[in-house]
Amino acid sequence: MCKITHQTQERNDFNVTIIVLFYNQERYVSGLLDNIKACNQVANAKVVIVDDFSTDNTSKYIESWLALNAEITWKFIKNLSNLGISSSILKAIEVVDTKWIKCHAGDDMFTPEGIEGFVNMSKIHDPNQGIIMTAVNIINEANEIVGFRDNPSPLTFTKYFNDINYYINPLLSFSVMAGKEVYRNAIKAMYFRNVEDWPLLIYAVTTNKKFILIEKRLVNYRVHDKSIMAHARNYRLKATIHQQQYNNEII
């Protein structure tokens, strides 16, 4: 169950919907929504905000921000129970009417040209044929850029993700945009609950989708001290040759 707040959408020339996923992230709400508002002035992407039944003040902060920005034409989905990331994305997809979806975590940020970059790419690529993946900056709690991940060569990337038996290890921090139906099918195809874009990547490889690797860093990806991205790989599992080559390229 969820409660959806609709706002009138005056324009109809949209290619991209940004789905922003919040859960107990009250300290990031205002900064991220201000960031999206500023980045979206020219880009013209739709925005759907989801609060997955937060137990802190996340939902109240979202409502307060929207009230102070009444000119913003975004949708807000307030889950009435905790559904998890995958189910929250599926709920949001129900109100999406654009071809492309960009899922965005509630603690990440866009670079100044980030949303415009995704929208521009949406106009020249087919969402049913390919998945767009961009490089990212890595930021800390103070929003300082402390690192980055650039995309590897297409050949190395493809070989890496074909070794999908290794997927239980820490995830790779790139930023992904995909078609609405691709996202829906990817989540429904996975028998486990997982996080953000990982089921999408495995689904794309197993269904022979094309990966469109973009060199530009369009998202500032936040890594917390306790996040899975901050931890070392589980070396009880032996990396394949392809994965060793991939690590050498990007780390």
Side-chain angles (χ1 to χ4, degrees):
M1 295 289 291
C2 63
K3 176 182 178 182
I4 303 177
T5 302
H6 291 274
Q7 292 180 299
T8 301
Q9 195 76 64
E10 296 178 353
R11 301 176 62 171
N12 59 9
D13 56 338
F14 295 87
N15 287 334
V16 177
T17 296
I18 300 168
I19 298 177
V20 186
L21 302 165
F22 282 109
Y23 177 69
N24 286 350
Q25 293 165 319
E26 60 184 13
R27 59 179 168 166
Y28 303 115
V29 169
S30 294
L32 174 54
L33 298 186
D34 285 343
N35 168 254
I36 294 174
K37 178 182 178 181
C39 295
N40 202 31
Q41 292 291 335
V42 176
N44 194 33
K46 288 190 174 183
V47 179
V48 176
I49 304 169
V50 182
D51 176 51
D52 192 20
F53 200 64
S54 294
T55 57
D56 63 3
N57 291 311
T58 295
S59 182
K60 291 181 180 179
Y61 287 5
I62 294 170
E63 292 172 336
S64 295
W65 191 93
L66 290 173
L68 292 172
N69 294 270
E71 79 282 5
I72 296 294
T73 54
W74 297 351
K75 293 183 176 71
F76 176 33
I77 299 177
K78 188 175 179 181
N79 289 347
L80 302 182
S81 62
N82 182 257
L83 301 180
I85 291 174
S86 294
S87 293
S88 292
I89 293 172
L90 289 178
K91 278 290 183 185
I93 287 176
E94 293 178 7
V95 301
V96 169
D97 57 5
T98 59
K99 294 181 179 179
W100 286 95
I101 288 177
K102 173 72 188 83
C103 287
H104 191 80
D107 57 347
D108 294 341
M109 306 279 278
F110 286 97
T111 62
E113 70 282 3
I115 297 178
E116 185 176 9
F118 283 113
V119 170
N120 288 341
M121 286 183 288
S122 76
K123 297 176 181 178
I124 60 177
H125 295 292
D126 183 349
N128 295 314
Q129 299 298 321
I131 290 177
I132 292 172
M133 179 174 290
T134 81
V136 297
N137 292 315
I138 305 297
I139 59 174
N140 61 17
E141 291 295 339
N143 294 329
E144 299 168 330
I145 296 176
V146 296
F148 60 88
R149 282 191 183 273
D150 287 337
N151 280 321
S153 65
L155 179 61
T156 298
F157 177 84
T158 302
K159 287 180 178 179
Y160 180 94
F161 272 101
N162 276 322
D163 299 324
I164 60 174
N165 62 302
Y166 203 57
Y167 72 82
I168 63 174
N169 284 272
L171 311 186
L172 302 170
S173 54
F174 297 107
S175 190
V176 175
M177 183 171 73
K180 178 172 68 173
E181 294 307 315
V182 173
Y183 243 119
R184 193 201 311 269
N185 292 338
I187 293 174
K188 289 185 175 181
M190 308 312 290
Y191 63 88
F192 53 85
R193 296 178 81 183
N194 215 314
V195 298
E196 295 176 35
D197 298 324
W198 193 243
L200 180 68
L201 300 181
I202 299 175
Y203 175 80
V205 169
T206 57
T207 56
N208 297 315
K209 293 290 185 297
K210 176 183 178 182
F211 284 91
I212 304 160
L213 303 181
I214 306 299
E215 295 181 0
K216 292 182 179 179
R217 301 171 195 160
L218 300 184
V219 167
N220 291 335
Y221 184 95
R222 196 183 307 277
V223 175
H224 307 275
D225 291 340
K226 296 182 179 180
S227 75
I228 55 178
M229 280 301 301
H231 293 175
R233 211 170 263 285
N234 180 355
Y235 287 104
R236 290 177 298 174
L237 297 178
K238 183 174 176 60
T240 66
I241 293 175
H242 297 153
Q243 289 158 347
Q244 291 172 4
Q245 181 183 358
Y246 185 82
N247 290 341
N248 291 336
E249 279 200 33
I250 67 172
I251 295 177

